[in-house]
Amino acid sequence: METGQYLGEISALCFLHLSPQSPSLPYLLAGTGSQLLFYDLATSTMIASYQVFDGIRVHGICCMTSPDTESTFRVAVFGERRLKLFVFNVQLPDHDDKTLVNLVSVQCLPNLGHWILDVCFIQDSVDEGRQFIAIGCTDNSVYFLDMLTSTVSYQVSSPDRCLLYTMRMWGDKIDSIRVASGTIFNEIIVWKVVCGCYTPCLDNSPSKESDNHICNRKYKAVPVCRLAGHKGSIFRITWSLDGSKLVSVSDDRSARIWEVHDAKKDSKDSAEVTVSSSSGPVLFGHSARVWDCCMSDSLIVTVGEDCTCRVWGLDGTQLRIIKEHIGRGVWRCVYDPSSSLLVTAGFDSAIKVHLLHSSLPMGLTRCNGVEDHERKQIFTIQIPNTNRTGRMDSKSEYVRCMHFASENALYVATNNGVLYLANISETGDVAWTQLFRASEDIAIVCISVFPGVASSADNWIALGDGKGRLTVVRVVGLPTPEVNVSLTWSVEAERQLLETFWCESLGPTFIFTADPRGKLKLWRIESFSECLVAEFTSCFPIRIICLDASFHEEVLVCGDLRGNLVLFPLLRDLSLSTPASSVAHISPLNYFKGAHGISSVTSVSIHGSSSSNIGLRSTGGDGCICYLEYDKFEQKIDFIGMKQVKELSLVKSLFPNDNPDYAIGFASADFIIWNLSTETKVAEISCGGWRRPHTFLLGDIPEMKNCFAFVKDEVIYMHKHWVVASDKIYPQNLNLQFHGREMHSLCFIVDHTNNFQPSFIATGCEDGTVRLTRYSSGVDNWSASKLLGEHVGGSAVRSLCYVQKVHTFTDHTMSTAGAVIKQGTDLDDQEDQFLLISVGAKRVVTAWKRKSASTPKSEMLFQWLSSDLPNRKGGTKLNGSKKVETNGNVNNVSIDKPLPENTEVCGNDGNENDWRYLAVTAFLVKISGSRTSVCFIVVSCSDATVTLRALVLPHRLWFDVALLIPSASPVLSLQHVIIPELPSCKDKSQTKSVFTVISGSTDGSIALWDVTETVQTFLQKVSNLKKEDCRNFQRRPRTGRGSQGGRQWRSLDNSDKKPSTTSPKPSENKNTEDDMQDQTSLNMIQPLHVLKNVHQSGVNCIHVSDVKDSESCFSCNVVSGGDDQALHSFCFNVTGSDRRTSEMHFPHQVETSGNYQIMFSHPDKIASAHSSAVKGVWTDGRWVFSTGLDQRLRCWGVSTDGKLSEYGHLIVSVPEPEALDVRKYGINRYQIAVAGRGMQMMEFIAPAEA
């Protein structure tokens, strides 16, 4: 068994500096879990990783350059009571070669009796060539360890022996060491090491005669001062470079600066301890606990639980806020003054590198009217006729709208009908050119420029004014512009022209105009004249504010002010129309209501297409990016995915349009450019919000080339950052960004067609996110992690289930009396064959579908399929339920009227938000001869109920099929067993499948249900569903953000205005409470059998091996783990009821309704399999893998008689493991993934004789 790289929290950071003369950037060491990561900041790559401890987290790193050579480094790594010393040799690259790091030696130093808080390399006070390691521990003592002999030579203890959370040492020699300790009494104790009374050598081993002077050295601790002021526990302390100041951070959300002065001495040479308050400014700004800090000669950096990094001046001025981490916060930060590099890391495993300009603490500098800040320029300009001294009146001219022509040129339109071009020099001088002036002073209300990006010296500009007139101006010859064409005509009535649009795919010949009532007009401009080509009328009388069109795809897609998307046909014949042609009046093909809730759609684009589908992408005022597909044949729009950009409250657009890596938008009063790939903030500019006139321009590399202009108080503020892209781009993300909180579940996404492809693992987290992470061999094993989506309102994901096997259901009711379900193995035509089901808090169920489109082998893509959650009035009490059916029949279940979206199965309960789903298992059945398939989902709730649910595809209809009644205890784990093609005891030519559900409860029992008849009855009724009944009750996932949640979202389909006859009507939810009560009365299925007292407490996990067929008996192995630290296993056997049990010698037998019998054999129990609760198990019948809270992964062999024997174990780096899954690939090779506070992969190669 071998351990792999840990993916989780970063707990330590340290720079590794080359010689001061070297122009290269420093290296970076990072501690994560029990591992040490080595990064080259010049190339932003990981060049090595090392396993340091077994199961102990790396708490700190300290390094020094070896005196022998500048390329050799000594690195001390500590965690808990352990300390290791590494010696590295770094080989610098030549030309295109990579940096090589060689591990020269590893030295394990003796364990100490207390936890280690800080370590530093120092010299001997007398012999400077002799090196020591100073080790600060939680008992407020410092141990001096001789690096030559690896023995502790001195121990100096402070008289104050109180429990510490943090300690920092400063000094380069033993007698110059200063120690600052943060106590549980919210104080900082500062003491120093001085020569004092005799201290005997702690090492009793015989030493050389030349070393005797070391043991006879005299050192003692002398108090310096006690610093009081914090109102909470002190988490971190850092010293200034000269040792005269301290900075401390605390859970009182503040950082404090302290002056450290030596204590006064009396005649008896004893120090007088003084208590002083903070001598510098108190840094308030964090909204949660502050975890770490660092300090240089010019600035202070703090990071905290609010996921922000804040940069402060020494005077307490907050200079910058960086928020790019997620989850439980930023834990570590380091700053290198020589390179101005700031590195932050946290719970989300990301390591962010920022470049802080050396002038940052001095603020902005002004030169020739231009403010320069980190190579960024800020210009302030005003239009020529602005009244600079007096107040504005009704005749004053002001800016209505703007658009960038280039990074140095800006189009400005005013309320007096004037179009200006402002050319701005590098020094801030402005040259104004008037390009157009309307015949009368009427405001220009909208402007559009072709091409959409300012990359051409030939621009077509469309201006719409308050009289409803449209003016098209062609400007050539930037920066000395000339107006080549000017054309004006009436488009709408007065004040009815609100928007004008160019489409780059249509060229400057065609232009769209929009009115307030959802009507578009398409105009053709040719030979200095215009003609109306077509009118498009939306099914929603709401203003259209964005669109995209393509004659090639023959489609026009529009987004309106209320979050709706409308699709129109755009036939190629329209491009050939002449002025004599009649105007085409075009109705919508289809629409998608509430794509962005009730927030506006800010941009929409057509991206990619196939012979049958067209891809659509939109952004909105809800801070989301939505992905949709339009089916050309069925003329319907399907919602396939959504990404929430949490840093933006409004996403304005994406860049570049074809393959976007950047989101541009606003968060409150700030304009933000966000890198979607690295999850870093490219630019943040305070502007007052998106309602002000504004415009932006991005270059090929937005980190180096971006411009933004906005208007405030009649002044145009232009922020320009346009530099040569030869420099390195910051910020950088060195390590993969992962979940920011604990994970409760994971599962391998297995593709049996290629066992040797990279592994993909789906994980569900406490913050409600579901991610898909790729693992491959190499130095950086975790190569990619993609966010699939988020549960409603961020509700925690408790369990995941991957569905890849498809079973086929054939209905013989027309000709025979039975139905057949066959196990499918090769169903490439089934579009929904790979599903991922996630469940969690607030009883949310979400289904994800694997995309069937061809993708590279190293990629695997999922899209959102459907979500379901209870109605706000829903509860989980079993009120008014029907009579319990013990045989599992559901003859009374009616699906003629499917359950409306989110209808709950029980009565009201005021505490419904407290209920959560705990476990899930699912299987997929396809109805033969139909496109319909049903995913049956079994979920257990914290209210001790288990529900069999159904998701009918491709219609995305949710049904509650039956209630499975366990004992009075909640179910913690679920599995299912499907026995395919079991021969009937009456007619051997007939076969049927057996569907069995297995559960483990908090009372230690394991229960089994037979749901075969329920499944078959439901499938028969689904096959009779009429097409008109298959309405999509839910077509977009709820985000829980602002206008998307609750009643507002559910009322989106309730519109007084009926849409066009060519479009389907929105579904209406008119069910009364009586109707709902009638539908929510479900059958209940009693357990087939209950194995009581299998565990002494809760059954945390269950796993079932694949079904094996032998001599008409189908068998599988079941293994479970519980809170009682035990493992339990047994064999689960199914055979025809006519087979005699005496031949099988099974100790237990359960008969069903005459068709088959289930028997249990070979039980075994390991009472103390782990030293703590067992959290995850997996078996294939030959091997069993288990993990628990003891951070152990154990491998067990299964003998022929079912006995378990331990084969080996590993210590995992994952604190508090919560879940385990295993993938078998190749011959006798296994990959084991363990998740909890992070995730780690292990590999196991089974012996050939096993």
Side-chain angles (χ1 to χ4, degrees):
M1 296 177 70
E2 297 180 355
T3 59
Q5 184 178 333
Y6 169 74
L7 180 63
E9 57 199 56
I10 306 295
S11 54
L13 293 174
C14 180
F15 283 116
L16 199 63
H17 290 275
L18 300 174
S19 62
Q21 295 79 18
S22 175
S24 302
L25 295 176
Y27 295 96
L28 180 71
L29 296 177
T32 175
S34 303
Q35 297 172 334
L36 183 67
L37 310 181
F38 205 116
Y39 288 96
D40 184 358
L41 293 181
T43 59
S44 299
T45 57
M46 182 194 297
I47 53 180
S49 64
Y50 304 95
Q51 185 77 20
V52 180
F53 302 116
D54 289 331
I56 296 177
R57 187 177 64 169
V58 174
H59 287 169
I61 306 170
C62 180
C63 64
M64 67 169 289
T65 305
S66 175
D68 302 331
T69 173
E70 295 178 351
S71 61
T72 301
F73 301 90
R74 293 183 177 181
V75 178
V77 184
F78 61 90
E80 296 186 4
R81 298 177 176 86
R82 300 186 183 182
L83 174 65
K84 282 190 178 182
L85 183 63
F86 294 83
V87 179
F88 294 105
N89 181 263
V90 180
Q91 298 181 7
L92 299 179
D94 295 330
H95 303 292
D96 296 333
D97 296 337
K98 296 182 179 179
T99 302
L100 298 179
V101 178
N102 298 319
L103 179 60
V104 179
S105 65
V106 179
Q107 185 177 4
C108 296
L109 301 179
N111 292 348
L112 300 178
H114 300 273
W115 279 41
I116 301 174
L117 294 179
D118 193 22
V119 167
C120 66
F121 291 93
I122 58 173
Q123 296 177 345
D124 187 19
S125 302
V126 178
D127 184 3
E128 295 185 358
R130 193 147 200 158
Q131 299 290 329
F132 286 83
I133 299 179
I135 307 170
C137 296
T138 52
D139 62 344
N140 212 1
S141 298
V142 176
Y143 298 83
F144 295 95
L145 186 142
D146 190 343
M147 295 177 59
L148 184 62
T149 62
S150 298
T151 57
V152 176
S153 299
Y154 310 105
Q155 176 185 353
V156 181
S157 300
S158 170
D160 292 298
R161 292 296 194 91
C162 55
L163 181 65
L164 307 181
Y165 284 125
T166 182
M167 172 191 283
R168 274 299 177 92
M169 295 180 288
W170 176 89
D172 57 356
K173 295 183 180 180
I174 294 180
D175 57 0
S176 66
I177 287 290
R178 287 191 174 192
V179 182
S181 309
T183 73
I184 60 173
F185 303 111
N186 309 332
E187 295 177 340
I188 300 175
I189 299 173
V190 182
W191 56 281
K192 62 182 179 180
V193 178
V194 298
C195 292
C197 58
Y198 169 76
T199 303
C201 180
L202 298 180
D203 186 13
N204 296 324
S205 61
S207 59
K208 294 183 180 179
E209 196 172 304
S210 60
D211 295 336
N212 289 337
H213 70 282
I214 297 179
C215 292
N216 295 328
R217 202 78 48 78
K218 302 173 183 179
Y219 293 106
K220 68 176 183 178
V222 175
V224 175
C225 61
R226 188 187 301 270
L227 306 176
H230 279 293
K231 304 301 182 183
S233 299
I234 300 169
F235 291 135
R236 199 73 165 179
I237 300 173
T238 186
W239 286 91
S240 62
L241 295 179
D242 59 0
S244 62
K245 292 182 179 180
L246 282 175
V247 175
S248 60
V249 295
S250 167
D251 67 355
D252 62 3
R253 301 179 295 177
S254 72
R256 291 176 180 264
I257 305 174
W258 314 83
E259 295 279 354
V260 180
H261 303 286
D262 286 341
K264 298 179 181 180
K265 298 183 179 180
D266 56 19
S267 58
K268 297 181 180 180
D269 197 31
S270 62
E272 178 185 351
V273 180
T274 60
V275 179
S276 62
S277 59
S278 177
S279 57
V282 180
L283 311 181
F284 281 108
H286 286 277
S287 60
R289 292 177 289 186
V290 188
W291 293 126
D292 197 9
C293 61
C294 58
M295 185 182 187
S296 72
D297 292 335
S298 57
L299 55 83
I300 298 170
V301 180
T302 60
V303 295
E305 195 176 23
D306 58 358
C307 293
T308 64
C309 170
R310 298 173 187 263
V311 183
W312 313 79
L314 296 183
D315 59 352
T317 304
Q318 185 170 283
L319 304 175
R320 187 171 178 183
I321 302 176
I322 302 171
K323 187 175 182 180
E324 295 176 356
H325 291 271
I326 59 175
R328 291 202 177 275
V330 189
W331 285 15
R332 294 292 176 259
C333 65
V334 288
Y335 176 67
D336 178 37
S338 60
S339 60
S340 299
L341 290 182
L342 170 65
V343 181
T344 61
F347 199 100
D348 59 358
S349 83
I351 302 176
K352 308 280 187 176
V353 183
H354 296 264
L355 179 63
L356 297 183
H357 197 267
S358 58
S359 64
L360 178 62
M362 294 180 286
L364 301 176
T365 59
R366 181 178 294 272
C367 179
N368 296 328
V370 179
E371 293 179 347
D372 192 298
H373 177 210
E374 293 186 3
R375 295 176 296 175
K376 298 178 182 178
Q377 294 175 299
I378 302 177
F379 306 94
T380 56
I381 59 179
Q382 290 181 297
I383 57 178
N385 299 325
T386 302
N387 186 357
R388 299 178 184 269
T389 58
R391 295 184 177 180
M392 290 184 60
D393 54 29
S394 59
K395 297 182 180 180
S396 299
E397 187 175 20
Y398 56 89
V399 179
R400 286 297 301 263
C401 42
M402 301 181 297
H403 197 285
F404 272 108
S406 68
E407 68 273 14
N408 295 318
L410 185 67
Y411 293 115
V412 180
T414 71
N415 63 315
N416 289 346
V418 182
L419 175 65
Y420 294 102
L421 176 64
N423 282 297
I424 307 169
S425 66
E426 293 296 327
T427 60
D429 298 326
V430 184
W432 290 93
T433 303
Q434 180 176 309
L435 301 177
F436 170 79
R437 187 179 188 93
S439 57
E440 51 184 308
D441 292 343
I442 188 68
I444 296 177
V445 296
C446 55
I447 183 173
S448 180
V449 178
F450 183 90
V453 293
S455 58
S456 173
D458 184 359
N459 293 147
W460 291 78
I461 306 171
L463 306 170
D465 60 32
K467 292 290 186 180
R469 296 174 301 192
L470 181 65
T471 300
V472 175
V473 178
R474 184 181 182 184
V475 180
V476 296
L478 295 177
T480 57
E482 295 181 1
V483 177
N484 186 275
V485 174
S486 179
L487 182 64
T488 302
W489 72 96
S490 180
V491 173
E492 299 287 350
E494 185 174 352
R495 298 184 179 181
Q496 297 300 301
L497 175 59
L498 298 183
E499 300 286 349
T500 176
F501 310 98
W502 299 99
C503 281
E504 193 168 355
S505 60
L506 305 186
T509 307
F510 294 92
I511 188 170
F512 292 89
T513 60
D515 69 1
R517 297 177 299 278
K519 181 179 291 187
L520 283 175
K521 292 182 179 180
L522 175 61
W523 301 85
R524 182 185 181 95
I525 305 172
E526 194 173 21
S527 302
F528 301 96
S529 63
E530 81 290 339
C531 67
L532 180 60
V533 176
E535 290 186 356
F536 304 85
T537 304
S538 172
C539 50
F540 304 102
I542 302 171
R543 171 184 168 186
I544 293 174
I545 58 175
C546 59
L547 59 81
D548 194 14
S550 172
F551 277 129
H552 176 71
E553 300 295 343
E554 295 188 320
V555 67
L556 165 67
V557 57
C558 309
D560 64 27
L561 200 60
R562 291 301 180 193
N564 307 310
L565 295 178
V566 184
L567 209 67
F568 295 93
L570 188 67
L571 302 180
R572 294 188 182 94
D573 297 341
L574 295 178
S575 62
L576 306 176
S577 61
T578 63
S581 304
S582 59
V583 177
H585 296 274
I586 300 176
S587 299
L589 284 172
N590 209 325
Y591 65 91
F592 195 100
K593 193 166 187 178
H596 291 273
I598 59 174
S599 301
S600 59
V601 182
T602 54
S603 72
V604 64
S605 61
I606 301 170
H607 71 101
S609 62
S610 62
S611 59
S612 60
N613 295 315
I614 298 175
L616 306 176
R617 180 175 55 235
S618 66
T619 63
D622 58 348
C624 297
I625 306 170
C626 295
Y627 301 89
L628 305 97
E629 274 186 354
Y630 173 69
D631 191 314
K632 297 179 182 178
F633 301 116
E634 295 192 5
Q635 294 188 352
K636 69 173 184 178
I637 303 175
D638 285 331
F639 195 99
I640 63 172
M642 179 180 67
K643 177 178 178 60
Q644 297 181 33
V645 187
K646 293 189 175 181
E647 291 72 18
L648 303 179
S649 57
L650 179 145
V651 181
K652 189 73 174 179
S653 63
L654 302 175
F655 178 86
N657 190 52
D658 52 349
N659 187 21
D661 292 323
Y662 301 87
I664 302 98
F666 294 85
S668 184
D670 297 333
F671 170 79
I672 292 177
I673 303 174
W674 185 262
N675 191 319
L676 297 171
S677 301
T678 62
E679 296 294 331
T680 56
K681 190 181 298 180
V682 175
E684 181 177 10
I685 300 170
S686 180
C687 62
W690 60 271
R691 296 185 183 274
R692 299 179 184 274
H694 65 273
T695 182
F696 58 88
L697 171 66
L698 302 184
D700 52 352
I701 304 178
E703 285 85 352
M704 310 299 290
K705 298 180 180 180
N706 61 79
C707 296
F708 177 69
F710 66 96
V711 178
K712 181 180 179 181
D713 298 332
E714 305 177 60
V715 178
I716 301 175
Y717 294 84
M718 179 177 171
H719 292 248
K720 177 184 175 183
H721 180 50
W722 209 272
V723 297
V724 179
S726 59
D727 297 337
K728 190 173 179 63
I729 300 173
Y730 292 99
Q732 291 278 333
N733 188 13
L734 300 183
N735 203 38
L736 191 68
Q737 189 164 31
F738 198 48
H739 292 291
R741 290 181 178 270
E742 297 82 356
M743 286 167 285
H744 298 296
S745 181
L746 84 163
C747 63
F748 276 97
I749 308 299
V750 182
D751 186 357
H752 290 296
T753 61
N754 185 4
N755 286 331
F756 295 97
Q757 71 169 4
S759 301
F760 291 88
I761 303 174
T763 51
C765 181
E766 179 71 22
D767 61 2
T769 58
V770 178
R771 299 188 75 97
L772 187 65
T773 306
R774 184 175 69 222
Y775 179 88
S776 56
S777 59
V779 176
D780 195 1
N781 302 128
W782 302 105
S783 51
S785 182
K786 178 180 176 59
L787 178 65
L788 296 185
E790 181 178 349
H791 275 208
V792 177
S795 55
V797 179
R798 304 295 304 185
S799 183
L800 292 172
C801 177
Y802 179 54
V803 184
Q804 64 173 354
K805 294 182 180 179
V806 184
H807 309 273
T808 304
F809 169 77
T810 303
D811 190 1
H812 297 301
T813 54
M814 296 299 178
S815 56
T816 62
V820 178
I821 299 179
K822 297 183 179 180
Q823 187 175 14
T825 56
D826 186 12
L827 295 172
D828 294 335
D829 59 334
Q830 176 61 27
E831 61 176 357
D832 300 314
Q833 59 178 321
F834 297 107
L835 299 179
L836 178 66
I837 309 297
S838 61
V839 301
K842 301 180 182 178
R843 291 173 291 164
V844 177
V845 186
T846 302
W848 318 82
K849 181 178 74 171
R850 179 179 169 184
K851 290 186 178 179
S852 57
S854 60
T855 56
K857 292 183 179 180
S858 60
E859 297 292 334
M860 184 176 292
L861 301 177
F862 277 79
Q863 65 187 38
W864 175 85
L865 181 63
S866 185
S867 295
D868 188 73
L869 67 158
N871 194 349
R872 287 187 175 184
K873 295 182 179 180
T876 54
K877 290 184 178 179
L878 305 178
N879 297 332
S881 301
K882 287 191 176 182
K883 183 179 179 180
V884 174
E885 300 285 347
T886 58
N887 59 359
N889 294 329
V890 288
N891 296 327
N892 296 325
V893 175
S894 173
I895 61 171
D896 296 333
K897 293 186 293 182
L899 291 176
E901 178 215 348
N902 305 330
T903 299
E904 186 54 30
V905 298
C906 307
N908 296 337
D909 187 350
N911 298 322
E912 84 274 352
N913 286 333
D914 296 336
W915 304 127
R916 59 190 181 278
Y917 286 143
L918 301 177
V920 64
T921 186
F923 51 91
L924 185 64
V925 181
K926 181 181 184 298
I927 299 178
S928 178
S930 171
R931 293 185 66 247
T932 302
S933 58
V934 180
C935 181
F936 290 95
I937 303 170
V938 183
V939 289
S940 64
C941 187
S942 57
D943 64 347
T945 60
V946 181
T947 307
L948 175 63
R949 310 200 65 192
L951 172 61
V952 179
L953 302 172
H955 314 297
R956 308 185 190 184
L957 300 177
W958 289 89
F959 297 91
D960 286 329
V961 180
L963 289 175
L964 282 62
I965 308 301
S967 61
S969 302
V971 169
L972 298 177
S973 52
L974 285 170
Q975 288 284 300
H976 70 273
V977 179
I978 299 179
I979 308 298
E981 303 181 13
L982 183 69
S984 174
C985 59
K986 297 180 180 178
D987 185 356
K988 299 299 181 181
S989 63
Q990 295 292 328
T991 61
K992 68 178 298 182
S993 295
V994 177
F995 294 83
T996 306
V997 176
I998 304 177
S999 71
S1001 303
T1002 56
D1003 60 357
S1005 63
I1006 296 178
L1008 292 88
W1009 287 273
D1010 177 18
V1011 296
T1012 306
E1013 297 298 330
T1014 304
V1015 168
Q1016 292 182 354
T1017 303
F1018 185 86
L1019 289 171
Q1020 290 174 0
K1021 295 191 176 184
V1022 166
S1023 61
N1024 297 326
L1025 276 178
K1026 298 180 181 179
K1027 186 176 181 179
E1028 54 269 19
D1029 292 333
C1030 299
R1031 300 171 298 177
N1032 290 344
F1033 283 91
Q1034 184 187 14
R1035 306 171 67 186
R1036 177 197 189 277
R1038 298 187 188 178
T1039 65
R1041 295 188 63 179
S1043 59
Q1044 274 86 47
R1047 294 170 296 175
Q1048 292 281 1
W1049 190 92
R1050 287 199 296 271
S1051 64
L1052 288 175
D1053 288 338
N1054 298 328
S1055 176
D1056 295 334
K1057 179 177 176 61
K1058 294 184 179 181
S1060 165
T1061 56
T1062 60
S1063 304
K1065 292 183 179 181
S1067 60
E1068 306 241 351
N1069 186 0
K1070 297 182 179 180
N1071 297 79
T1072 63
E1073 283 192 16
D1074 294 339
D1075 295 333
M1076 293 174 61
Q1077 179 63 34
D1078 179 66
Q1079 295 184 33
T1080 59
S1081 299
L1082 297 179
N1083 289 333
M1084 299 185 185
I1085 304 176
Q1086 289 285 0
L1088 189 66
H1089 187 77
V1090 178
L1091 302 174
K1092 297 183 178 180
N1093 300 322
V1094 175
H1095 290 272
Q1096 297 179 6
S1097 52
V1099 183
N1100 293 324
C1101 46
I1102 286 182
H1103 191 263
V1104 181
S1105 66
D1106 292 336
V1107 176
K1108 301 175 183 178
D1109 182 11
S1110 60
E1111 298 180 0
S1112 300
C1113 176
F1114 296 88
S1115 63
C1116 58
N1117 289 78
V1118 181
V1119 62
S1120 62
D1123 280 333
D1124 58 354
Q1125 309 173 11
L1127 283 179
H1128 190 280
S1129 67
F1130 61 89
C1131 189
F1132 177 85
N1133 305 273
V1134 179
T1135 185
S1137 61
D1138 59 341
R1139 189 176 183 87
R1140 295 183 180 180
T1141 59
S1142 59
E1143 300 176 9
M1144 308 300 295
H1145 303 288
F1146 289 145
H1148 193 79
Q1149 169 186 334
V1150 177
E1151 286 201 17
T1152 61
S1153 56
N1155 295 322
Y1156 62 91
Q1157 57 186 4
I1158 297 177
M1159 291 154 287
F1160 309 99
S1161 65
H1162 308 312
D1164 190 28
K1165 184 174 183 178
I1166 306 296
S1168 298
H1170 288 261
S1171 59
S1172 188
V1174 181
K1175 286 294 188 177
V1177 294
W1178 184 92
T1179 183
D1180 62 350
R1182 297 176 56 206
W1183 298 96
V1184 173
F1185 300 95
S1186 64
T1187 189
L1189 293 180
D1190 57 357
Q1191 288 187 249
R1192 299 297 190 271
L1193 172 67
R1194 300 188 184 275
C1195 174
W1196 312 81
V1198 182
S1199 63
T1200 55
D1201 59 353
K1203 299 298 182 181
L1204 301 181
S1205 59
E1206 185 172 0
Y1207 181 81
H1209 76 276
L1210 287 175
I1211 301 176
V1212 299
S1213 299
V1214 180
E1216 303 173 10
E1218 286 281 339
L1220 173 145
D1221 197 19
V1222 180
R1223 173 200 177 203
K1224 184 178 181 181
Y1225 69 103
I1227 301 176
N1228 294 332
R1229 298 178 68 93
Y1230 298 83
Q1231 285 183 333
I1232 309 106
V1234 178
R1237 287 178 53 185
M1239 181 167 62
Q1240 188 175 15
M1241 183 79 77
M1242 276 69 65
E1243 295 196 8
F1244 171 67
I1245 301 177
E1249 65 273 8

